[in-house]
Amino acid sequence: MVRILFVCIENSNRSQMAEAFARIEGAEKVEVASAGSNPATAVNPKAVAAMAERGYDLGTHAPKSLADVGIVSWDYVVTMGCGDDCPLISSRQRLDWQLPDPREMDEYGYRTVCDEIERLVRQLIAGLP
């Protein structure tokens, strides 16, 4: 199993959706988690709605801190547009996806970011050994 960690600031939008897409796309290939450098108190309802449309229940997820996911030997750490707010986390490979935070975006903007996350996750999973 390839271990992937998705990180953003609040772990309430981008990284939660990326974790969900990785679970959908790589169910038998990956062990996946997400976390935030400054976690929110709940997953954004927009993220829950966007993933529900794709058949995934994010309503059961809660934002996690990096401490919550523990020290794991990650194969990939994917940061998601959080710059210096995302600390260096040990991994075999580190990727930085420059994605805007969709938290305050209208529905169209939010869905555009969600679609881009889905595309990037599919590309990542397809390239795994």
Side-chain angles (χ1 to χ4, degrees), residues 5 34-39 64-72 74 87 89:
L5 175 65
S34 66
S37 57
N38 186 21
K64 298 172 291 300
S65 71
L66 292 166
D68 291 335
V69 296
I71 298 173
V72 173
W74 299 105
I89 301 163

Side-chain angles (χ1 to χ4, degrees), residues 40-91:
T41 57
V43 175
N44 188 321
K46 292 179 186 177
V48 174
M51 293 311 298
E53 291 173 2
R54 291 164 166 87
Y56 190 94
D57 183 9
L58 262 186
T60 62
H61 288 225
K64 298 172 291 300
S65 71
L66 292 166
D68 291 335
V69 296
I71 298 173
V72 173
S73 176
W74 299 105
D75 296 302
Y76 293 84
V77 170
V78 181
T79 54
M80 309 186 89
C82 51
D84 292 340
D85 288 324
C86 287
L88 184 61
I89 301 163
S90 180
S91 66

Side-chain angles (χ1 to χ4, degrees), residues 5-6 11 25 28-29 31 33 40 42 57 63-65 74 83 90 100 106 109 118 124 128:
L5 175 65
F6 295 100
N11 189 227
E25 297 296 323
E28 298 185 18
K29 294 173 88 172
E31 180 180 325
D57 183 9
K64 298 172 291 300
S65 71
W74 299 105
S90 180
D106 64 17
E118 181 177 26
L124 174 63
L128 294 176

